Amino acid sequence: MDGNTILLATVGDPVAQVQTPARMPELFAARGINATWVPLHVTAANLPLVPAMLRGIGNFRGCSITVPHKMAMLTLVDRATPRARLSAGVNLVRREADGSLTGDMVDGLGFVAGLADAGHSVRGKSAWLVGAGGAGAAIAAALCEAGVAWLGVQDVDPSRARAVADRLSPHFPAIRIMAVDAAPAAPDFAINATPLGLRPTDPLPFAIDGLPATAVVCDIIMKPAITPLLHAAEARRLTIHPGAPMLTAQMPLYLEFFGL
Amino acid sequence: MDGNTILLATVGDPVAQVQTPARMPELFAARGINATWVPLHVTAANLPLVPAMLRGIGNFRGCSITVPHKMAMLTLVDRATPRARLSAGVNLVRREADGSLTGDMVDGLGFVAGLADAGHSVRGKSAWLVGAGGAGAAIAAALCEAGVAWLGVQDVDPSRARAVADRLSPHFPAIRIMAVDAAPAAPDFAINATPLGLRPTDPLPFAIDGLPATAVVCDIIMKPAITPLLHAAEARRLTIHPGAPMLTAQMPLYLEFFGL
């Protein structure tokens, strides 16, 4: 760290749980990048401060956006990539040379890449996605782009699940995309994209009783590394896929997005 | 660094030269403080962003203020300590529990403490201070508080030197304080508080030809560690005092101010 250090950040509310600030220094060191990645605890009411900071702080190159700001940040950037618009949210924002702000969404790409790194291809498979917030919407879009055959989206707020399905369907006419309110018959992947599991007192995001023995149970929560959902799946001898690979797969995309 | 890391910063334009971000990690580690100190490159036009950040980012506890913002920042805080008002500037700003902002100025205290650490007492001595900007005004106030007998303040803009002398005189009636436009007869201390010396092409801030052999020539510039002024003084076998001790002496004051 010195006066020339490039500043990057993760913006969220809360931020205590974010992993990127702890993970990035090793990557910066390995690549000889003089940058630091800090947490920024910003409430929804203060979110417009973040674009103001990106425009007004010379060495603040960009940030990642986490819960609950991904959808709101889409409305605060000057332009967004097609995958961000398809996801109705951004998890990355950078300042361009002309001072304008570009948003991107690589949560879904990171999730699918993390699955692939673990040997799980989603092409032609069926996926039950629980949680249609910022990360869930991005994962839904990326599953479609990766060629799932069937996608069921569920949310505690059914209108959010329908909105995701309605947004994606016209773009992927070959895929059966629908909002659901219960577990489908035999999904290949059952994915938690809700925040349930961050707190020890949270209920399970969904019941795993009806899942087939071949199902891969996925969680996007990174802390705890093995959530109660994944513990329950392990106890039933189902294959599990934790949250960490989603970030690991995204970190090089972050650097690429920020031109580092 | 993790999601609970407290954010602190040095705000300036430029910031490439600032030393605090590089010096603080050692102090944080020694005291077991989970905090990071980053540079923030902010122009004068964007300075109001800094109080907005202090109010709006939960884990941004405060910042130090460097050239050229010390005087302007005094007008952007909710309250300032007596020594900050006497210095007409702030170099530290923190957010209080109620969200209001308090400014302090410890540049001068750090300068005098750094001199004392090097064995130089200013009590009863005469000081020629060149540079009446934010840091110069703070050093002038601290020299008076430390009991100099005579203080001559010089600036390329004579009105700035007069403003410093006029502000301090009523508070220190026993000290002879005046604006000057040339070297006094035989100062005990000759102090550069201008930015001249930061760039290799800068002229010397003042001529050292007329200084007595007993004079201590001081610079507040930290990079380069030994400025051309100090090289010239060394060549004349005068005692020199570089800029680094001013920061070293301030660093514990920073932590105290931020409640760390």
Side-chain angles (χ1 to χ4, degrees):
Chain A
M1 184 90 74
D2 61 26
N4 290 305
T5 300
I6 294 167
L7 180 63
L8 297 156
T10 296
V11 175
D13 180 22
V15 282
Q17 80 291 354
V18 301
Q19 302 291 306
T20 315
R23 299 276 309 271
M24 276 291 176
E26 192 183 356
L27 197 54
F28 292 149
R31 300 193 182 194
I33 299 169
N34 182 5
T36 187
W37 197 295
V38 303
L40 294 178
H41 187 190
V42 177
T43 63
N46 287 321
L47 195 60
L49 183 58
V50 175
M53 287 172 61
L54 285 165
R55 293 188 176 99
I57 298 175
N59 61 315
F60 185 27
R61 174 122 10 139
C63 56
S64 70
I65 307 295
T66 191
V67 62
H69 300 315
K70 288 171 184 174
M71 289 181 277
M73 187 57 76
L74 178 63
T75 68
L76 297 175
V77 295
D78 298 302
R79 77 189 63 75
T81 59
R83 63 186 170 208
R85 294 197 303 272
L86 201 57
S87 306
V90 303
N91 83 322
L92 292 175
V93 184
R94 69 169 176 238
R95 183 185 55 229
E96 306 292 351
D98 66 0
S100 66
L101 303 185
T102 298
D104 198 358
M105 171 54 91
V106 298
D107 267 345
L109 203 62
F111 177 78
V112 170
L115 273 179
D117 290 345
H120 304 299
S121 168
V122 300
R123 179 165 299 277
K125 301 293 180 64
S126 62
W128 176 37
L129 174 68
V130 178
I139 289 169
L143 288 170
C144 291
E145 289 187 326
V148 290
W150 183 91
L151 172 64
V153 184
Q154 182 170 328
D155 196 277
V156 63
D157 175 355
S159 70
R160 294 213 303 183
R162 278 197 303 274
V164 168
D166 291 349
R167 191 167 56 241
L168 293 175
S169 293
H171 294 274
F172 301 98
I175 303 176
R176 292 181 61 209
I177 305 170
M178 63 196 70
V180 300
D181 58 7
D188 297 309
F189 294 90
I191 306 159
N192 175 43
T194 78
L196 292 174
L198 276 176
R199 292 173 306 183
T201 54
D202 286 338
L204 293 189
F206 53 81
I208 57 166
D209 303 350
L211 294 176
T214 54
V216 180
V217 178
C218 311
D219 208 322
I220 68 165
I221 288 173
M222 277 174 269
K223 195 178 178 179
I226 303 297
T227 57
L229 175 72
L230 297 182
H231 274 302
E234 273 188 324
R236 270 208 47 213
R237 301 181 183 278
L238 300 178
T239 301
I240 67 165
H241 182 76
M246 177 173 163
L247 175 59
T248 303
Q250 280 188 75
M251 285 169 57
L253 303 177
Y254 288 6
L255 296 192
E256 187 184 341
F257 180 76
F258 294 124
L260 292 171
Chain B
M1 185 90 76
D2 61 27
N4 290 304
T5 300
I6 294 167
L7 180 64
L8 298 157
T10 296
V11 176
D13 180 23
V15 282
Q17 81 290 354
V18 302
Q19 302 292 307
T20 315
R23 299 274 310 270
M24 276 290 174
E26 193 182 355
L27 197 53
F28 291 149
R31 300 192 182 195
I33 298 168
N34 182 5
T36 188
W37 197 296
V38 303
L40 294 178
H41 188 191
V42 178
T43 63
N46 286 322
L47 195 59
L49 183 58
V50 175
M53 287 172 60
L54 286 165
R55 293 189 176 99
I57 298 175
N59 60 316
F60 185 27
R61 174 122 9 139
C63 56
S64 72
I65 306 295
T66 191
V67 63
H69 301 316
K70 289 171 185 175
M71 289 182 277
M73 187 56 76
L74 178 64
T75 68
L76 297 175
V77 295
D78 298 302
R79 76 190 63 76
T81 59
R83 64 187 170 207
R85 294 196 304 270
L86 201 57
S87 305
V90 302
N91 83 321
L92 292 176
V93 183
R94 71 169 175 238
R95 182 185 56 229
E96 306 292 351
D98 66 0
S100 66
L101 304 184
T102 299
D104 198 358
M105 172 52 92
V106 299
D107 267 345
L109 202 64
F111 177 78
V112 170
L115 273 179
D117 290 345
H120 305 299
S121 168
V122 299
R123 180 165 297 279
K125 302 294 180 62
S126 62
W128 176 36
L129 175 68
V130 178
I139 289 169
L143 289 170
C144 291
E145 289 186 327
V148 291
W150 183 92
L151 173 64
V153 183
Q154 183 170 328
D155 196 276
V156 64
D157 175 355
S159 70
R160 293 212 306 182
R162 279 197 302 275
V164 168
D166 290 350
R167 190 167 57 240
L168 292 175
S169 293
H171 293 275
F172 301 99
I175 304 176
R176 293 181 59 210
I177 305 169
M178 63 196 70
V180 299
D181 58 8
D188 297 309
F189 295 90
I191 305 158
N192 175 43
T194 78
L196 292 174
L198 275 177
R199 294 173 304 184
T201 54
D202 287 337
L204 293 189
F206 52 81
I208 58 165
D209 303 350
L211 294 176
T214 54
V216 180
V217 178
C218 310
D219 209 323
I220 68 164
I221 288 172
M222 276 174 270
K223 194 178 179 181
I226 304 297
T227 57
L229 174 72
L230 297 181
H231 275 302
E234 273 189 324
R236 270 208 48 213
R237 300 182 184 279
L238 301 178
T239 302
I240 67 165
H241 183 75
M246 177 174 162
L247 175 58
T248 303
Q250 281 188 74
M251 284 169 56
L253 303 177
Y254 287 7
L255 296 194
E256 187 183 340
F257 180 76
F258 294 123
L260 293 170

